[in-house]
């Protein structure tokens, strides 16, 4: 067992006192055969303590099995060891605390002033002791014999603690044997070790692994010998769901012709544009293509309808009549709507000869340029997108030249009912007692098809409540094509409830949990079977009660089928547009939000000067944010103020910055959210801090950026809420507020990624990962860990290849 020994003392760390406790503890643990592989001394500082513990317990560093910390557990002003350790524990071990306090109180009442904190982080046990040699040795001695067992359990090994349990069982057996020879056995109510993690209690969700292997009853044993209490631990629903998801995996990808048959399938690849859309210059309206921007009278030189393949050029003083979708003349600069014209003259056949243009056209107006909808190489549908019946995805695929794409196979589910009493649900009345119609297979079938219309569902005849009948049905089903098997009935405590036993003893299944902490549906069971070809089948065993069966199908079985967005993590760090699309999708910033922002733009525009002034008033109300403007900003070359007292909002640089902010706010609500706009958002975030390629002139700390975004969010919300134009439109007001909130969070991401150094994660030139810069124990480091964990969770695979 590897031990890390941490001495916490201001005086010892500064060299003004000798460490007597550390050597005494080393001697004690080495007598037990343990190895002290790490030793260090730190001052009474919360961050210094945490840094050492993290370095010894996190798997990416040199991990130890047991961390012993001595010092800093008292009532002194500088005693912060309990606070430092508590904040980073995954779970507490208060039993160890009590054991140490009890032993010490038997020696001295002063032990009541000690504040021990013990627990587990990752797979390491952590123990805190007093700073005095006597107190530290006494406390550690009180729990010394328990620590090997605690370490085995914390490691999470498959057979963790078995040797200890065997020794305890042998000890108990010897005690009972000796007691029986003296006739005293009837007085022994409980002897030896009882391990709560093996008892019939709620499973501790902080345990490393959940399993229920080997707990099914022996079908050959007489019914009188069956257990009167379930041996399966109760597993919290959240842990059960997480376990199910951990076994879910993507189905294979197959090629499929683009047609209506694709509906309800999921794309297994990004779909890129093969040809520009449109592939010709097209008119958006019915009207007249012009080469001049003036009003006046013009001769109608030609007519272009949608589908006409003629290529013409306009002469000066002429126009071409065009219909929506028609190809415009090569030299046309705009199209004027027919509503903005008047007929001047026509010929005897009724054909227009001369028209009057009533409005002055703008360059490019009402013309869809080549590739304006989509350029070659653009990703129009991402892997994981659902081909819906109403979303237009099939039409989009056809429009960009795709005749075949890769999709995930649809899931195949087998529903097996069990019970001697069951007959087919179509059995007509009257039904002879004690028979029951099998409604579970019908109900679950309908629920599956509702959630996944294209999935294939099998419902073979019910199995009888015999091992042979059930084993035969399971054998046939598991050897077939079903990815998932659902059984209903036979999972409780009755003598004919044999599903778990048959699965484990006849079918070679591994049962991961046999009871879930929920009502109805407590006996719900989850198991897996791996065939010889390596294919793993998921098995959900639901109670026979129809309400329980349907409810638990929705809760657990449908979890892997919940659509999940498949995200290319590397691409998030070198493709700005892809990052923008991911964050937008995550916060649900969609076209309706864009429409809300654009609709509010004319209402917000007159208020921009007021908003800008309010921002700088806020920045100038704190010294740390005001002093930033004593530095020369990018793009400003004028005179600077030299002190906070002389710096005012009328200074030249502040006016320069205000002008920049005003343009930024206008662009935020009026620009097209395309690659150019995303590059602009990126530049705004990048100029505020140092990057690997450029040093910022102002280098603003992120806490100020984040605080400003929070304040600006509130200020804009109040501004929008008070707009008189939205006073009587509560839905529009709420939508506008939500849209601006999402937009600010997207911009905030383009700030934070440079502060978290996420942009350094991927080197597009080398095409491989580069190490994240470790930022110590600052908030940024904690956030980076959280982001990594969240990303891992978001990209968890789903059994049916659908996207969340």
């Amino acid at each position: 067992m590897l031990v890390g020994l941490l001495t916490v003392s201001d005086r010892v760390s500064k060299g003004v006192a000798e460490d007597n406790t550390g050597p005494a503890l080393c001697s004690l643990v080495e007598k037990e055969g343990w190895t002290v592989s790490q030793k260090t001394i730190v001052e009474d500082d919360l961050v210094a303590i945490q840094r050492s513990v993290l370095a010894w317990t996190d798997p990416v560093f040199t991990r130890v099995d047991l961390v012993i910390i001595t010092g800093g557990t008292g009532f002194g002003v500088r005693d912060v060891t309990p606070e430092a350790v508590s904040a980073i524990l995954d779970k507490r071990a208060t039993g160890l605390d009590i054991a140490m306090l009890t032993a010490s109180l038997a020696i001295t009442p002063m032990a009541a002033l000690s504040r021990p904190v013990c627990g587990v982080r990752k797979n390491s046990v952590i123990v805190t002791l007093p700073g005095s040699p006597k107190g530290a040795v006494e406390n550690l001695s009180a729990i010394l014999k328990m620590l090997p067992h605690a370490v085995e359990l914390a490691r999470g090994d498959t057979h963790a603690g078995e040797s200890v349990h065997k020794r305890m069982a042998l000890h108990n057996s010897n005690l009972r044997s000796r007691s029986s020879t003296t006739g005293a056995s009837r007085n022994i109510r409980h002897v030896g070790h009882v391990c709560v993690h093996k008892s019939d209690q709620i499973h501790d969700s902080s345990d490393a692994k959940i399993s229920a292997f080997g707990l099914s009853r022996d079908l050959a044993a007489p019914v009188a010998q069956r257990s009167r209490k379930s041996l399966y631990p109760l597993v919290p629903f959240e842990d059960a769901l997480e376990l199910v998801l951990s076994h879910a995996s993507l189905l294979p990808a197959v090629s499929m012709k683009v047609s209506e048959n694709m509906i309800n399938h999921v794309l297994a690849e990004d779909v890129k544009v093969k040809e520009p859309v449109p592939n010709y210059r097209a008119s958006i309206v019915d009207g007249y293509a012009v080469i001049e921007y003036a009003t006046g009278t013009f001769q109608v030189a030609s007519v272009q309808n949608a589908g006409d393949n003629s290529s013409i050029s306009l002469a000066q003083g002429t126009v071409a009549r065009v219909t929506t979708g028609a190809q415009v003349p090569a030299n046309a600069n705009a199209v004027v709507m027919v509503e903005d014209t008047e007929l001047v003259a026509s010929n005897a056949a009724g054909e227009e000869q001369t028209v009057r243009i009533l409005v002055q056209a703008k360059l490019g107006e009402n013309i869809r340029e080549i590739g304006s909808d989509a350029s070659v190489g653009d990703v129009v549908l991402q892997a994981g997108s659902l081909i819906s019946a109403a979303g237009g995805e099939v039409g989009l695929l056809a429009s960009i030249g795709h005749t075949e794409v890769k999709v995930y196979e649809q899931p195949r589910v087998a529903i097996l009912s069990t019970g001697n009493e069951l007959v087919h649900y179509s059995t007509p009345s009257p039904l002879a007692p004690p028979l029951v119609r099998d409604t579970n297979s019908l109900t679950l079938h309908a629920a599956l098809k509702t959630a996944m219309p294209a999935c294939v569902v099998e419902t073979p005849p019910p199995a009888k409540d015999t091992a042979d009948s059930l084993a035969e049905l399971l054998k046939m089903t598991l050897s077939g094509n079903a990815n998932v098997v659902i059984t209903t009935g036979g999972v409780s405590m009755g003598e004919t409830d044999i599903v778990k036993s048959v699965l484990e003893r006849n079918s070679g299944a591994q049962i991961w949990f046999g009871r879930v902490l929920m009502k109805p549906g407590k006996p719900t069971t989850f198991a897996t079977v791996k065939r010889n070809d390596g294919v793993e089948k998921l098995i959900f065993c639901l109670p026979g009660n129809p309400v329980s069966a349907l409810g638990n199908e929705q809760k657990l079985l449908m979890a892997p089928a919940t659509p999940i967005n498949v995200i290319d993590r590397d691409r998030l760090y070198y493709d700005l547009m892809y990052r923008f699309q991911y964050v937008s999708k995550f916060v649900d910033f969609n076209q309706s939000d864009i429409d809300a922002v654009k609709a509010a733009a004319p209402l917000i525009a007159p208020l921009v000067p007021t908003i800008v002034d309010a921002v700088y008033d806020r920045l100038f109300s704190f010294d740390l944010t005001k002093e930033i403007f004593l530095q020369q900003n990018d793009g400003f070359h004028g005179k600077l103020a030299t002190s906070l007292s002389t710096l005012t909002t009328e200074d030249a640089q502040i006016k320069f910055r205000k002008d920049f902010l005003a343009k930024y706010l206008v662009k935020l609500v009026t620009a097209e959210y395309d690659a150019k706009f995303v590059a602009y958002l990126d530049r705004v975030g990048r100029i505020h801090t140092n990057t690997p390629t450029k040093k910022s002139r102002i280098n603003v700390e992120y806490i100020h950026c984040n605080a400003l975004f929070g304040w600006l969010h509130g200020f804009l919300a109040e501004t929008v809420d008070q707009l008189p134009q939205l006073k009587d439109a509560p839905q529009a007001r709420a939508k506008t507020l939500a849209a601006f909130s999402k937009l600010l969070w997207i911009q905030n991401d383009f700030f934070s990624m440079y502060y978290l150094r996420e942009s350094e994660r991927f080197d597009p030139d080398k095409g491989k990962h580069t190490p994240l810069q470790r930022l110590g124990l600052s908030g940024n480091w904690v956030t980076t860990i959280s982001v990594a964990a969240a990303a891992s969770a978001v990209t968890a695979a789903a059994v049916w290849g659908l996207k969340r």
Side-chain angles (χ1 to χ4, degrees):
M1 186 162 69
L2 298 180
V3 180
L5 182 58
L6 176 63
T7 299
V8 180
S9 170
D10 286 334
R11 299 178 69 236
V12 175
S13 66
K14 295 175 182 176
V16 297
E18 185 177 352
D19 180 19
N20 296 317
T21 307
L25 293 173
C26 277
S27 176
L28 182 61
V29 300
E30 286 173 351
K31 287 179 182 178
E32 296 294 316
W34 308 343
T35 301
V36 179
S37 60
Q38 302 288 339
K39 288 192 293 186
T40 192
I41 301 170
V42 299
E43 66 272 28
D44 287 281
D45 176 74
L46 185 142
V47 172
I49 296 169
Q50 289 180 335
R51 183 179 291 117
S52 295
V53 175
L54 291 178
W56 293 349
T57 58
D58 288 15
V60 294
F61 304 106
T62 306
R63 191 182 67 80
V64 299
D65 301 302
L66 174 65
V67 177
I68 299 175
I69 307 173
T70 173
T73 62
F75 279 26
V77 175
R78 295 278 293 168
D79 290 338
V80 295
T81 298
E83 288 72 24
V85 173
S86 296
I88 57 175
L89 288 178
D90 293 331
K91 50 187 172 185
R92 288 289 306 273
T94 52
L96 296 179
D97 302 350
I98 295 170
M100 291 192 294
L101 284 172
T102 302
S104 295
L105 285 169
I107 300 171
T108 172
M110 299 301 288
L113 300 181
S114 180
R115 300 185 298 131
V117 171
C118 301
V120 176
R121 176 177 174 81
K122 298 295 177 67
N123 299 109
S124 302
V125 176
I126 302 173
V127 174
T128 64
L129 306 171
S132 70
K134 181 176 180 295
V137 170
E138 287 174 354
N139 274 251
L140 185 59
S141 298
I143 61 173
L144 203 60
K145 300 303 181 184
M146 310 172 199
L147 291 177
H149 189 29
V151 166
E152 284 184 340
L153 296 172
R155 284 174 179 160
D157 297 335
T158 304
H159 304 291
E162 282 189 359
S163 60
V164 176
H165 285 279
K166 287 178 180 177
R167 289 198 304 270
M168 292 295 184
L170 180 62
H171 175 63
N172 295 348
S173 177
N174 291 339
L175 283 175
R176 285 193 293 270
S177 177
R178 290 196 298 271
S179 299
S180 64
T181 61
T182 62
S185 61
R186 67 177 63 89
N187 297 321
I188 299 177
R189 302 182 66 87
H190 196 277
V191 181
H193 171 70
V194 176
C195 196
V196 296
H197 63 274
K198 296 285 186 178
S199 69
D200 187 21
Q201 297 188 12
I202 296 174
H203 186 280
D204 184 354
S205 62
S206 59
D207 282 353
K209 293 182 179 179
I210 298 175
S211 67
F213 304 158
L215 299 181
S216 62
R217 65 185 174 92
D218 183 0
L219 295 177
V223 67
Q225 294 182 7
R226 63 174 170 158
S227 174
R228 303 288 171 173
K229 185 178 181 182
S230 176
L231 300 178
Y232 291 91
L234 272 173
V235 176
F237 173 78
E238 294 77 11
D239 294 349
L241 180 59
E242 183 177 349
L243 186 56
V244 169
L245 290 174
S246 72
H247 284 273
S249 59
L250 291 170
L251 289 174
V254 295
S255 295
M256 191 171 190
K257 297 289 185 182
V258 173
S259 71
E260 66 278 5
N261 295 328
M262 291 187 64
I263 292 172
N264 294 311
H265 283 75
V266 176
L267 286 175
E269 62 179 348
D270 286 347
V271 176
K272 298 181 179 180
V273 177
K274 289 187 172 183
E275 58 190 37
V277 179
N279 60 1
Y280 63 92
R281 300 178 72 229
S283 175
I284 298 175
V285 297
D286 297 320
Y288 298 87
V290 301
I291 58 174
E292 301 177 35
Y293 306 129
T295 59
T297 302
F298 296 85
Q299 180 183 351
V300 180
S302 65
V303 178
Q304 288 283 96
N305 293 315
D308 289 351
N309 196 27
S310 59
S311 179
I312 62 170
S313 292
L314 288 172
Q316 203 71 22
T318 66
V319 297
R321 191 172 78 235
V322 294
T323 59
T324 302
Q327 183 173 346
V328 300
N331 61 338
N333 297 317
V335 175
V336 177
M337 295 173 61
V338 68
E339 293 90 337
D340 294 323
T341 66
E342 290 178 345
L343 176 64
V344 175
S346 61
N347 61 20
E351 277 295 323
E352 297 175 349
Q353 292 182 313
T354 310
V355 294
R356 182 176 293 111
I357 304 295
L358 303 176
V359 298
Q360 185 172 339
K362 297 178 182 178
L363 177 64
E365 187 174 10
N366 294 324
I367 293 179
R368 292 170 63 214
E369 297 292 344
I370 294 174
S372 59
D373 289 351
S375 301
V376 174
D378 285 351
V379 176
V380 293
L381 287 174
Q382 294 179 343
S385 297
L386 177 67
I387 307 300
S388 67
E393 293 87 359
V394 172
L396 176 60
L397 290 171
S399 72
I400 58 175
H402 282 269
T403 58
E404 187 176 89
V405 293
K406 288 186 177 179
V407 298
Y408 291 110
E409 284 186 358
Q410 284 293 320
R412 303 181 71 93
V413 183
I415 303 174
L416 314 183
S417 296
T418 67
N420 294 331
E421 73 280 13
L422 296 181
V423 295
H424 196 267
Y425 59 80
S426 63
T427 302
S429 296
L431 190 64
L435 300 179
V436 176
R437 292 182 182 87
D438 175 22
T439 59
N440 278 339
S441 60
L442 176 64
T443 304
L444 297 180
H445 189 160
L448 285 168
K449 295 295 283 186
T450 299
M452 298 173 296
C455 77
V456 179
V457 181
E458 307 166 9
T459 53
K464 298 298 182 182
D465 287 324
T466 66
D468 290 342
S469 174
L470 181 57
E472 183 63 29
L473 183 57
L474 282 170
K475 179 180 178 181
M476 177 187 70
T477 305
L478 293 173
S479 63
N481 295 323
N483 312 111
V484 175
V485 177
I486 305 172
T487 70
T488 66
V491 290
S492 191
M493 295 291 292
E495 62 180 281
T496 59
D497 291 330
I498 59 174
V499 170
K500 292 172 183 173
S501 296
V502 173
L503 275 173
E504 191 166 55
R505 297 168 184 266
N506 295 62
S507 303
Q510 288 185 308
I511 296 177
W512 295 96
F513 58 78
R515 290 197 300 164
V516 182
L517 189 59
M518 60 182 178
K519 287 186 178 181
K522 184 190 291 185
T524 296
T525 299
F526 173 64
T528 58
V529 169
K530 184 166 287 189
R531 298 192 320 195
N532 292 334
D533 58 5
V535 175
E536 186 177 64
K537 308 274 188 172
L538 308 188
I539 306 170
F540 297 86
C541 306
L542 308 178
N545 180 283
V547 175
S548 296
L550 181 60
N552 289 289
E553 181 209 39
Q554 299 291 338
K555 292 176 182 176
L556 286 174
L557 173 62
M558 297 307 296
T562 303
I564 179 169
N565 289 300
V566 180
I567 303 298
D568 184 342
R569 183 178 295 161
D570 289 339
R571 192 173 169 188
L572 291 173
Y573 301 101
Y574 67 86
D575 186 335
L576 293 175
M577 193 64 191
Y578 187 76
R579 186 184 183 99
F580 174 81
Q581 291 168 342
Y582 163 69
V583 177
S584 297
K585 193 165 190 176
F586 197 101
V587 302
D588 199 22
F589 184 72
N590 52 40
Q591 188 59 48
S592 65
D593 293 297
I594 295 173
D595 293 341
V597 170
K598 296 295 177 68
L603 310 179
I604 296 291
L607 303 176
V608 165
T610 302
I611 297 172
V612 170
D613 287 342
V615 167
Y616 276 87
D617 287 344
R618 195 67 180 175
L619 290 171
F620 271 46
S621 62
F622 296 90
D623 59 345
L624 290 181
T625 49
K626 184 177 180 181
E627 69 182 14
I628 293 169
F629 300 100
L630 294 176
Q631 307 169 64
Q632 188 171 34
N633 289 190
D634 284 331
F636 179 74
H637 306 289
K639 186 178 180 181
L640 298 175
T642 57
S643 66
L644 290 180
S645 59
T646 60
L647 178 61
T648 71
T649 55
E650 298 303 314
D651 276 38
Q653 179 166 247
I654 303 305
K655 290 182 178 179
F656 169 82
R657 292 297 302 168
K658 282 187 173 183
D659 182 60
F660 180 88
L661 178 59
K663 292 177 181 177
Y664 163 77
L665 291 174
V666 171
K667 187 180 286 288
L668 204 61
V669 299
T670 61
E672 295 298 323
Y673 298 132
D674 53 15
K676 185 177 180 181
F677 175 73
V678 171
Y680 178 75
L681 292 184
D682 177 64
R683 177 175 174 270
V684 172
R686 188 164 13 99
I687 62 175
H688 285 81
T689 186
N690 294 330
T691 69
T693 58
K694 184 180 179 182
K695 188 172 182 179
S696 171
R697 290 192 177 187
I698 50 179
N699 200 30
V700 182
E701 295 168 291
Y702 181 62
I703 186 173
H704 309 311
C705 300
N706 195 47
L708 179 59
F709 272 115
W711 177 86
L712 183 58
H713 176 270
F715 186 83
L716 282 177
E718 291 178 2
T719 301
V720 171
D721 194 50
Q722 294 172 8
L723 288 172
Q725 297 89 337
L726 298 178
K727 182 179 180 181
D728 298 323
Q731 290 184 337
R733 184 169 69 249
K735 185 63 180 178
T736 305
L737 287 170
F740 274 105
S741 175
K742 296 172 186 178
L743 191 55
L744 284 177
W745 274 109
I746 294 169
Q747 173 67 91
N748 191 25
D749 175 68
F750 279 86
F751 271 74
S752 64
M753 73 173 185
Y754 287 104
Y755 288 89
L756 296 176
R757 300 299 187 261
E758 288 187 349
S759 57
E760 298 174 29
R761 285 193 59 178
F762 192 83
D763 182 347
D765 295 326
K766 297 180 180 179
K768 62 181 182 179
H769 286 283
T770 56
L772 268 172
Q773 176 180 349
R774 188 179 176 205
L775 304 177
L777 287 170
S778 67
N780 285 346
W781 173 241
V782 174
T783 304
T784 302
I785 295 173
S786 301
V787 168
S792 297
V794 168
T795 55
V799 66
W800 292 316
L802 301 181
K803 293 188 61 179
R804 191 183 308 271

